Every structure is written in structure tokens, then in C-alpha cells.
Amino acid sequence: MLQVERIFKDEASEEKGERARMASFVAAMAIADLVKTTLGPKGMDKILQSTGRGREVTVTNDGATILKSLHIDNPAAKVLIDISKVQDDEVGDGTTSVVVLAGELLREAEKLVAAKIHPMTIISGYRMAAECARNALLQRVVDNKEDAEKFKSDLMKIAMTTLSSKILSQDKEHFAKLAVDAVMRLKGSTNLESIQIIKKPGGSLRDSFLDEGFILDKKIGIGQPKRIENAKILVANTAMDTDKVKIYGARVRVDSMSKVAEIEGAEKEKMREKVQKIINHGINCFVNRQLIYNFPEELFADAGILAIEHADFDGIERLALVTGGEIASTFDNPESVKLGHCQLIEEIMIGEDKLIHFSGVAMGQACTIVLRGASHHVLDEAERSLHDALCVLSQTVNDSRVLLGGGWPEMVMAKEVDELARRTPGKKSHAIDAFSRALVAIPTTIADNAGLDSAELIAQLRAEHQNEGCTVGIDVITGSVGDMAQLGISEAFKVKQAVLLSATEAAEMILRVDEIITCAPRRREDRM
């Protein structure tokens, strides 16, 4: 025995078989339980306080955001965090569901392992079940791509369902409309870059609005034209601050003050030439990422050119994209520089702040959503919620298959999977049965979070779902089962499918583990 022990370095630990699996299961279930309470329309929020400077506080119920902020040591828990991250990047919503489902699958798997069923048997059962569940959904999707009116109402429903579990649920119709309008402008591209979200504290969430065009969070400089029609915009990233002598680390010997003035004069001339080059492009708006000194600003103002300095990076990249220009940094050959265009540039007020508004931009799909709200925390959470809705909608525009929501898809899948379990011989059937129980955990959790009697409701749902073509799900508002088709609670098929497949794969991955090896931490040498 002693011989074997010495393979690993001191302090490296390994856990084998049962113990390793236990550690994984427990960790995964703990993570699932952590975000479980945020699921559904009546889900609660979490406050996350960072350890960094300023101890920033985040209030959120977005599964991915919560999990991203956790520092976790357990490898199995990290797998769950990863799937929620991928779900967030891929389809934007369902980040909590995917973790809860994976956690439940593992909870069920633990019982099966305890009953001496081999993990590989469980995995193959889970795979069959997942395939069966997916087919069950595919048979029941609705696709209204051909009928524009119906499709738009589908999108509205999906947006409202996505937002109903978030902070925006009070004004979900208002925001669903914003999100749908913004996504409809994209005309089928999933590039959310051209939808810009600006957060301005003040007012209430209801005051948020969608603006056609692009808003840059800057003020217009002094003595500059406040409004320009048919703008030709040069977007640049170049230093415009060299008209004073700034010599770092170099020594210049002069024998009188007038020589310094000469140097200054030369610098100024250089600057004037540069500005002239820029003006030669025939533009009437110059946006620079770096700061512009007073002298060049004067020159621009004299030429009737609107100069905007310090346009933040995100803003300038977007501006170039939206106006169809490119970011330039040298100005020697004007013919190779691509200018941006828009019909009107003017200054607008939002709350206390002045911003610059570009309307009639070259890229028709661009728009800006201006969020108003009581505080930064509210605004951040509103932005996360809106982002979820935008992602889901843009995915749905591409893949227009829609399902009902409210725990209905899970019940449909569970019913099909149950039938599969009855038909399947051998030990696999236990695993398939377990899969169906895990699926039911999602409507159960939705009911629990709303403070309802989940056992009673799930039993009712089960009975209802024995009828063909049943559209019943959980209506948390009245606290009973309700018809999802009438209530207009819809979800995107793509989101559900991603949840199902990712959760199954993650559970499978954790199930396969039978040994955890932790390396010894690196020692810090005493530096004294």
C-alpha cells in the first residue's frame, strides 16, 4: 500500500469511486438549489456583493449572472456553471432552468447509483429519454413564420414570458414591445451589436423608450453647430492633443524664451496641417476616440464641423458600424477612408443629461433603447433582463418554432418519457423513469417558488395531460392550473431544446466521474 501512495506529491489528494461521485453529486445539487429559487415568474432575486474595491452590489435573478459571480472550488459545480454560461451565450434565456434540470438529473442518478445501477446504464437511459423528450416537443411545435401578424404576436408572447420572471415583469408589455420592435428592425440578423442600450438613472422603468437611430452619450462641444443635416461622419482614433509642447524624457536646450515659442509655433502648425487634412475629406462631423484640444476644436468650429471627442470605445465602434463608416487613424489619402452617413445629428436631453442623437443612419436596423430607472442596480438588472429577451427574440426570428410555456413542455416531455420507460426492458427503464421525474421538477419548482402546493398541482397537471392536445400548465397568478394557450404564455423551441440537451450532457459528464485528483497547491517560498 505504501508503494502506491507515493505516486502523488505530498498534499495531493484523490477521491475514488463512491466518494468522488458523492462529492460531485452534492456539489452539483447545491448549485442547483442555489439558483432554484429564482426560477419562474415568482422567483426571488439574489444580492451578490463583490470582494473587490468598492464592494459593488449586484441584485439579480439571472441564473448565469449569479453563477458567473461565484468563486467555486468544486469541479462538478464548475461544469454546471459552464452550461449556464453557454446557455446564456447561445440562446440568452433558460440559464436557471438548465442548471435546475441538470441538478435534478443528478439527484435522481444518485438514488439509482445507490440502488446499484451502473452509471453507464443510467447514462444510456438518459440519452434515450432526452431523444424521446426532444421528439415529443418537435411534434407539438407551432410555426407561424408565414403569417406576419401571428408571428408578431408570438414574439410578443415570448418576450412577455421571458420578462415575467425578471424585474421588468411589472411593465412587461411595454418592454416586450420595445424588444420586439428592436428585433424586428434587425430583419433576421442575430447581431445584437446594432441594438444599443443606454442606461440613465432617473424617471421610472416605464419611461424607457426605443429610439430609431443611434445615441452617443456625449455632449456637443462649445461653439459648435448644434444640429447638422446630411452628415458625413469621419470616425477616427487619433491623438489631437499635440499643439502644446509635451516632451517626455527628452531634453531640449534653448537659449531664450522666444525659441520655446518657436517650438510651440511649429507644433501648432503641425496640428493645423493635420486638421486641414481631416477637413479635406469633405466631412461635417468628426468623432474622435481620444481627446481634442481647444486649438483643433476651434479650427473645426471655424470650418463648421462638429467635433466630438472622447467617444467611448463601445460607442465609437458601434457608431462606425451603424453609420457604415470605418475607424480611421491616418488621413493622408482621403479616397481610401470610408465615411459614415446619417440624415440628422442633433443634441437631445434625456433626464438631466445631454446626448447626441444620430438619426436616419445608413444601417437601417440600428436602434437605441434608453432605459430609465430608480438606481444603478435597477438599471443593470433591467439591462440583463432586456438582453435575455432580445437574445431569445433574435433566435426565434431565425428559428420560428414556438412552444407553450409555464411548465407545459416539461409535462409533455415527462409523459412521453414515462411511456418510453414502460416499453423499455432492463435496468435502463429505471433511468428513463428518473429522467421523467427530473423533468417534472421544473414545473414543481415554479409552483414552489410561487408558494403553491406543488404536489397537488403536479398531480392535476398529470391527469390533464393524459388527454390528447392538452394545453394546461401552471398559472402562478391565480395559483392553479390554467390554459397556457389562452394566457398567451409561450417560449421559444430553441431555448427549450438547448436546456434539455445541455442539462443531459452535463449530468452525463458528472456521472462518468469516478475519481477526483486534486493537485497540491504550489508552495510560496519564504521570501524573507
Side-chain angles (χ1 to χ4, degrees):
M1 188 58 203
L2 284 172
Q3 264 47 47
V4 182
E5 278 302 292
R6 295 299 307 152
I7 297 176
F8 296 117
K9 268 188 156 170
D10 296 349
E11 287 183 47
S13 62
E14 62 169 330
E15 295 175 31
K16 278 205 164 66
E18 282 306 291
R19 284 199 47 196
R21 208 165 281 131
M22 265 326 286
S24 305
F25 286 163
V26 169
M29 289 189 281
I31 290 284
D33 288 344
L34 176 81
V35 291
K36 207 181 204 173
T37 52
T38 68
L39 190 71
K42 291 270 199 279
M44 294 300 176
D45 290 10
K46 310 271 180 213
I47 290 187
L48 309 168
Q49 189 173 17
S50 78
T51 48
R53 295 216 322 265
R55 300 229 160 233
E56 280 151 29
V57 172
T58 315
V59 184
T60 179
N61 75 355
D62 177 34
T65 309
I66 297 171
L67 294 178
K68 245 190 320 217
S69 321
L70 297 178
H71 286 290
I72 279 185
D73 208 20
N74 186 295
K78 281 190 180 142
V79 172
L80 287 196
I81 292 176
D82 276 351
I83 56 170
S84 91
K85 241 193 209 135
V86 169
Q87 181 79 11
D88 195 33
D89 298 342
E90 196 62 29
V91 284
D93 196 25
T95 48
T96 311
S97 316
V98 72
V99 176
V100 172
L101 183 55
E104 287 302 324
L105 286 171
L106 290 167
R107 195 179 307 252
E108 293 294 337
E110 185 192 4
K111 295 176 196 158
L112 296 174
V113 171
K116 295 278 178 280
I117 294 178
H118 192 273
M120 279 307 165
T121 314
I122 303 177
I123 286 175
S124 67
Y126 275 5
R127 284 205 167 159
M128 287 168 67
E131 194 49 41
C132 166
R134 183 164 169 265
N135 292 337
L137 285 187
L138 276 171
Q139 284 159 14
R140 291 179 178 74
V141 289
V142 182
D143 192 339
N144 288 331
K145 192 150 204 172
E146 306 313 313
D147 184 343
E149 276 307 299
K150 268 190 178 165
F151 186 47
K152 193 156 184 193
S153 83
D154 275 354
L155 287 180
M156 278 296 287
K157 285 178 193 166
I158 287 179
M160 275 158 62
T161 307
T162 301
L163 294 172
S164 64
S165 60
K166 313 262 197 278
I167 191 171
L168 303 176
S169 57
Q170 299 335 13
D171 310 313
K172 64 183 174 194
E173 287 185 16
H174 179 68
F175 282 101
K177 198 161 166 13
L178 284 188
V180 172
D181 287 348
V183 171
M184 290 302 257
R185 292 177 68 92
L186 289 179
K187 304 191 181 48
S189 86
T190 45
N191 180 12
L192 295 178
E193 280 287 299
S194 47
I195 300 178
Q196 186 197 19
I197 298 182
I198 286 186
K199 299 177 288 199
K200 285 280 167 216
S204 71
L205 280 170
R206 198 161 287 227
D207 301 338
S208 309
F209 61 92
L210 174 81
D211 198 296
E212 329 246 301
F214 183 86
I215 296 180
L216 192 62
D217 197 351
K218 301 300 309 167
K219 293 187 182 61
I220 289 182
I222 299 162
Q224 312 241 342
K226 288 276 185 261
R227 138 182 199 122
I228 290 183
E229 291 181 14
N230 287 337
K232 295 191 187 60
I233 308 163
L234 177 64
V235 187
N237 183 4
T238 179
M240 300 296 282
D241 53 357
T242 48
D243 56 342
K244 309 235 189 330
V245 177
K246 296 192 301 191
I247 300 176
Y248 301 109
R251 291 174 60 187
V252 180
R253 288 209 173 146
V254 289
D255 39 21
S256 72
M257 249 344 258
S258 59
K259 287 282 195 293
V260 178
E262 271 175 39
I263 297 178
E264 291 234 331
E267 292 275 337
K268 247 183 168 154
E269 265 321 297
K270 235 167 70 187
M271 191 74 235
R272 180 169 285 148
E273 275 171 34
K274 184 168 185 180
V275 172
Q276 196 48 53
K277 274 184 193 164
I278 291 173
I279 294 174
N280 289 345
H281 287 62
I283 55 170
N284 48 14
C285 172
F286 175 69
V287 183
N288 191 17
R289 169 149 191 257
Q290 304 177 26
L291 94 179
I292 303 177
Y293 264 3
N294 306 6
F295 176 61
E297 197 169 47
E298 276 169 39
L299 296 178
F300 282 128
D302 291 345
I305 290 178
L306 165 61
I308 303 167
E309 61 173 358
H310 263 307
D312 53 333
F313 203 65
D314 197 25
I316 192 171
E317 297 252 317
R318 274 224 176 93
L319 182 64
L321 173 85
V322 165
T323 54
E326 281 172 7
I327 299 179
S329 50
T330 54
F331 310 103
D332 288 327
N333 36 359
E335 57 282 351
S336 65
V337 174
K338 217 170 148 192
L339 298 181
H341 293 281
C342 78
Q343 279 156 20
L344 177 67
I345 301 181
E346 57 187 341
E347 198 171 44
I348 54 170
M349 294 279 297
I350 296 181
E352 310 287 277
D353 298 345
K354 292 183 174 170
L355 300 98
I356 306 174
H357 180 222
F358 297 80
S359 54
V361 290
M363 191 169 167
Q365 49 257 64
C367 56
T368 301
I369 295 177
V370 179
L371 292 177
R372 309 298 312 275
S375 73
H376 282 295
H377 299 145
V378 175
L379 285 174
D380 288 346
E381 176 61 0
E383 181 185 26
R384 278 191 289 271
S385 315
L386 198 58
H387 182 257
D388 278 9
L390 290 172
C391 286
V392 175
L393 288 173
S394 69
Q395 294 287 344
T396 313
V397 171
N398 276 355
D399 178 349
S400 56
R401 290 174 290 183
V402 178
L403 294 161
L404 296 174
W408 175 87
E410 282 77 19
M411 294 309 290
V412 168
M413 295 193 277
K415 179 182 171 218
E416 291 284 329
V417 173
D418 263 341
E419 284 169 13
L420 175 71
R422 292 204 193 96
R423 293 197 300 272
T424 310
K427 283 187 180 172
K428 275 188 206 161
S429 62
H430 295 297
I432 298 176
D433 208 27
F435 195 93
S436 125
R437 283 200 297 277
L439 283 171
V440 176
I442 293 215
T444 311
T445 309
I446 294 178
D448 282 341
N449 287 347
L452 307 172
D453 178 355
S454 58
E456 170 69 18
L457 280 174
I458 297 300
Q460 280 181 16
L461 276 182
R462 258 230 168 93
E464 289 280 355
H465 271 267
Q466 290 308 316
N467 313 329
E468 269 305 304
C470 154
T471 54
V472 175
I474 292 178
D475 178 3
V476 285
I477 310 301
T478 61
S480 60
V481 294
D483 185 343
M484 296 290 121
Q486 279 171 2
L487 292 168
I489 297 179
S490 300
E491 297 187 54
F493 167 71
K494 202 156 180 189
V495 175
K496 274 288 166 236
Q497 171 177 298
V499 166
L500 182 70
L501 301 181
S502 306
T504 314
E505 284 174 8
E508 184 179 313
M509 189 164 163
I510 294 173
L511 261 174
R512 282 171 180 268
V513 173
D514 75 335
E515 186 161 355
I516 299 175
I517 299 172
T518 320
C519 292
R522 275 173 49 191
R523 290 263 175 81
R524 295 228 172 123
E525 286 87 29
D526 293 332
R527 293 232 166 77
M528 301 303 282

